[in-house]
Amino acid sequence: MNFIFRRTIAPLRGMSVVRSFVSSRKSYLSPARLRGIYIKVHSRPALLRETYIKVHSRPAHLRETYIKVHSRPPRLRETYIKVHSCPPHLRETYIKVHSCPTLLRETYIKVHSRPAHLRETYIKGYARPEEIDYLQYKKICVLLKNRIIKIHFGMKEERLSVYEECIRKGISRRDFLKFCTAMTAWLGLEPSAIARVTNALETKPRLPVVWLHLQECTCCSESFLRSSHPILSSLLFDSISLDYTETLMAAAGHQAEAILTDTLQKYRNEYLLMIEGSIPTRNEAYCCIGGRSARQIVEEAADGAKAIIAWGNCASSGCIQAADPNPTGAKPVHRIIRSKPIINVQGCPPIAEVMAGIIVHMLTFESIPQLDGLGRPKAFYSRRVHDTCYRRANFDAGLFVESFDDDNANKGYCLYKVGCKGPNTYNACGIIKWNEGVSYPIQSGHPCIGCSEAGFWDNSPFYKHNPGIKGFGIEATADEIGLLVGGATVAGIVAHAVATNIRKKKLIENKEDVSGNE
């Protein structure tokens, strides 16, 4: 009885007929006026009863408006109300103005409030903000021409391009072009490719992305997020459609799992699958999300992926989880998934610009970059750290740091004898560096630990000399080079002494001959 009263009568509270019903309460079928309401409500499917009550509890002249507003997705309701609260002749103008970036709305109003034949003149002379030149303004207008928002039920959301997101964020075109130029250089492309990269980032929509976090420490995400370049952070949150990531998304529980399922179905064979962390195989309980094992999640997500990017050493080769004795049976992605193209972006963590370069390459060329035998992009992993190290000359000369507090360390000599693994580590640390190209471990006085190579955790000790690492030539090691250099030095001294004695002996003999002749 109370349930029926709450569900059918409460919305009508305040009406005289309800007051009579409350006073009697003898039978839920009286008064007669309520019988029709009860029948109308309960003759509908259970799913629609609450909606019916909400609609018909409002005055008759507001019911249609209520239906129109609440039949839209929640994200569009406020926009719909704002648009339709304007007079009909102003609605189209309101939509056009508010579909422009905030930076351009005032300019748009000033321009379009003038007669059509004067608009271009006004733009050239006065209308544009000082920080936006005329060519940039025209470029923006062209990009936004076909992106006027149409408010209607069931509208399809359109993904913006990288440049459009940069405009929306207030990033200037100059900075955008600097980013495109830098990315072209980092990818090892010729200068003529700058135009192609720029055009791709201006016109192509964001890539839908599913980013999984498994057995890892999140250092790869941190590396990307801590980048000081504004477009790199924009690339993560705006340029790619980051539909699912356990670490950064606001949703949790059933909502998060529903987003993952919806993304896998909606963008099947279109989305990029990015995986951070290794996959346990010895016992599935070591890594479970939403009641499913990491392996089950990876296999399901990989089935409809366009390509897979394995971020960091964990996803590429197992990292510390796979170090001896490997209690979880951790394996990299390429040991589990073999039917999809996989890009191994090595490092613990990878450099942020390297991660961005991979995404830009996928956007520009719509294909994976050229890979080496270990599945790493050749643009960033084709040279050893040793080959691009500024201390290489000291290595060749046999000048090594013997301990971290000796004079050789202060002189910037080679760190090989205190554990540097640069001679057999492939990465771009010495070229791109970290923190906007400020430095990298060797430049800071710390030896390379080889974090972009498989099994580097087992290649210990980190701070002791490893004579087995080939460093110069095919067979020679740093020890042999040191001995050769030292031997050559001693031989040079001896040869110099012998030559000097011979020369002195000849001078003495010449003097004796001259004295004898006199």
Side-chain angles (χ1 to χ4, degrees):
M1 177 63 190
N2 290 332
F3 170 77
I4 295 171
F5 179 77
R6 288 196 304 269
R7 299 301 299 271
T8 62
I9 307 305
L12 303 176
R13 188 178 290 110
M15 299 171 60
S16 59
V17 67
V18 176
R19 286 198 296 268
S20 64
F21 172 79
V22 173
S23 61
S24 62
R25 293 181 65 94
K26 293 182 179 179
S27 172
Y28 69 89
L29 292 178
S30 61
R33 187 172 178 180
L34 291 177
R35 296 177 187 171
I37 296 176
Y38 182 85
I39 293 172
K40 287 181 180 180
V41 171
H42 287 271
S43 63
R44 277 148 179 86
L47 182 65
L48 299 177
R49 290 174 189 170
E50 186 174 354
T51 304
Y52 181 86
I53 294 171
K54 287 182 178 179
V55 172
H56 288 269
S57 63
R58 280 153 177 80
H61 67 284
L62 294 179
R63 291 175 188 173
E64 186 176 355
T65 303
Y66 181 86
I67 293 171
K68 288 181 178 179
V69 172
H70 287 269
S71 62
R72 266 101 187 140
R75 61 188 175 81
L76 295 178
R77 290 175 188 172
E78 185 176 356
T79 305
Y80 182 87
I81 293 171
K82 288 181 178 179
V83 171
H84 286 269
S85 61
C86 295
H89 66 284
L90 294 178
R91 290 175 188 173
E92 186 176 355
T93 303
Y94 181 88
I95 293 171
K96 289 181 177 180
V97 171
H98 286 269
S99 63
C100 293
T102 306
L103 180 67
L104 297 176
R105 288 179 187 171
E106 185 177 355
T107 303
Y108 183 90
I109 295 171
K110 289 181 178 179
V111 171
H112 289 269
S113 61
R114 275 142 180 90
H117 67 284
L118 295 178
R119 290 175 188 172
E120 186 172 356
T121 303
Y122 183 83
I123 291 172
K124 290 180 178 179
Y126 305 99
R128 64 182 183 274
E130 294 181 1
E131 63 272 20
I132 302 179
D133 60 26
Y134 175 61
L135 293 178
Q136 181 182 351
Y137 183 83
K138 289 198 71 175
K139 183 75 174 179
I140 293 170
C141 291
V142 171
L143 286 171
L144 294 176
K145 183 177 180 181
N146 297 321
R147 296 193 179 273
I148 302 301
I149 298 177
K150 296 180 179 179
I151 307 298
H152 62 86
F153 177 67
M155 66 173 288
K156 182 178 180 181
E157 183 180 2
E158 189 172 3
R159 290 178 286 147
L160 301 179
S161 69
V162 176
Y163 181 50
E164 289 167 337
E165 284 292 345
C166 289
I167 293 172
R168 195 170 66 86
K169 295 293 185 182
I171 298 173
S172 69
R173 182 164 179 81
R174 182 183 296 274
D175 289 338
F176 171 75
L177 292 176
K178 286 181 180 179
F179 175 76
C180 295
T181 304
M183 279 297 161
T184 305
W186 290 334
L187 287 168
L189 304 175
E190 56 188 10
S192 60
I194 296 176
R196 187 172 179 180
V197 172
T198 303
N199 181 67
L201 297 185
E202 283 180 341
T203 58
K204 294 184 179 179
R206 299 178 299 170
L207 290 171
V209 167
V210 172
W211 191 316
L212 300 180
H213 293 261
L214 307 176
Q215 288 190 141
E216 42 84 38
C217 67
T218 321
C219 67
C220 301
S221 297
E222 286 291 334
S223 173
F224 208 6
L225 295 173
R226 302 294 179 185
S227 173
S228 57
H229 200 296
I231 297 183
L232 284 185
S233 60
S234 177
L235 191 70
L236 176 60
F237 293 109
D238 302 316
S239 305
I240 61 176
S241 179
L242 191 57
D243 295 280
Y244 178 87
T245 173
E246 296 98 336
T247 303
L248 300 176
M249 68 192 305
H254 295 292
Q255 292 178 333
E257 294 306 303
I259 291 173
L260 175 60
T261 303
D262 181 65
T263 302
L264 298 184
Q265 295 175 353
K266 184 177 179 181
Y267 298 109
R268 185 172 180 81
N269 298 325
E270 296 181 18
Y271 63 85
L272 282 180
L273 176 60
M274 300 181 179
I275 300 178
E276 189 175 343
S278 59
I279 304 167
T281 59
R282 188 163 297 171
N283 189 329
E284 294 183 351
Y286 283 121
C287 184
C288 290
I289 302 171
R292 296 186 298 164
S293 69
R295 183 165 188 163
Q296 291 174 330
I297 296 172
V298 168
E299 289 176 346
E300 179 188 5
D303 182 57
K306 180 179 181 180
I308 301 174
I309 300 179
W311 292 134
N313 198 288
C314 294
S316 300
S317 57
C319 202
I320 191 171
Q321 295 88 352
D324 187 65
N326 192 1
T328 66
K331 290 184 178 181
V333 177
H334 66 268
R335 297 281 300 277
I336 302 296
I337 305 299
R338 302 180 185 275
S339 59
K340 296 288 181 178
I342 299 175
I343 306 171
N344 291 323
V345 185
Q346 277 278 19
C348 189
I351 304 172
E353 287 76 7
V354 172
M355 301 172 75
I358 305 302
I359 298 173
V360 169
H361 188 284
M362 297 288 290
L363 268 172
T364 304
F365 301 102
E366 297 183 352
S367 63
I368 63 174
Q370 188 178 7
L371 307 178
D372 64 9
L374 298 177
R376 303 176 298 190
K378 285 187 175 181
F380 303 106
Y381 297 94
S382 60
R383 303 180 69 186
R384 298 178 300 172
V385 174
H386 184 63
D387 297 329
T388 57
C389 180
Y390 73 100
R391 301 185 189 227
R392 172 65 185 268
N394 295 315
F395 179 91
D396 296 341
L399 302 174
F400 299 101
V401 174
E402 301 292 340
S403 64
F404 287 107
D405 56 353
D406 64 8
D407 290 337
N408 291 346
N410 295 329
K411 294 176 181 178
Y413 287 174
C414 180
L415 298 168
Y416 172 74
K417 287 193 175 182
V418 288
C420 185
K421 307 298 189 298
N424 71 333
T425 300
Y426 288 80
N427 209 334
C429 299
I431 301 173
I432 299 177
K433 301 184 180 181
W434 297 77
N435 302 323
E436 286 191 292
V438 172
S439 182
Y440 70 110
I442 292 176
Q443 189 173 339
S444 302
H446 190 284
C448 170
I449 62 174
C451 70
S452 59
E453 296 297 326
F456 81 96
W457 283 102
D458 293 324
N459 192 17
S460 58
F462 285 153
Y463 300 107
K464 289 187 179 180
H465 174 44
N466 190 345
I469 296 179
K470 299 294 184 294
F472 188 81
I474 298 176
E475 299 294 340
T477 64
D479 294 325
E480 293 169 352
I481 293 170
L483 291 174
L484 289 173
V485 173
T489 303
V490 173
I493 295 173
V494 171
H496 177 72
V498 171
T500 301
N501 289 331
I502 292 174
R503 187 171 60 254
K504 287 182 178 180
K505 182 179 180 181
K506 289 182 179 180
L507 289 174
I508 292 172
E509 289 176 352
N510 289 335
K511 287 182 179 181
E512 290 178 351
D513 291 340
V514 172
S515 299
N517 292 331
E518 291 177 351

